[in-house]
Amino acid sequence: MILSISGVVLLGVIAFLFFRKDGLKASHALVCALFGFYLAGTQIAPSIQAGGASLANLLGGIKF
């Protein structure tokens, strides 16, 4: 649960920065949010979630 919340916060911050700095229009952000919402209800959602978890594990294992 913590991983998904932090991922949502991170993606929200990135979307906000794109909106403020790179000219992301509110309509584009709305379309992306709706796409993600509807994508979560499809059969591919578990694969996307597993890929995100794998990426998080990979990034978490990097030592500086």
Side-chain angles (χ1 to χ4, degrees):
M1 183 68 170
I2 293 172
L3 178 65
S4 63
I5 291 173
S6 62
V8 167
V9 171
L10 177 65
L11 291 174
V13 167
I14 290 171
F16 177 75
L17 290 175
F18 281 159
F19 180 72
R20 296 288 290 169
K21 301 291 181 192
D22 292 335
L24 177 70
K25 294 185 171 53
S27 60
H28 298 153
L30 179 64
V31 168
C32 290
L34 288 173
F35 176 70
F37 177 76
Y38 288 116
L39 187 64
T42 64
Q43 293 290 331
I44 199 166
S47 298
I48 294 171
Q49 187 174 13
S54 295
L55 180 63
N57 287 334
L58 177 70
L59 293 176
I62 296 175
K63 297 187 186 209
F64 294 102

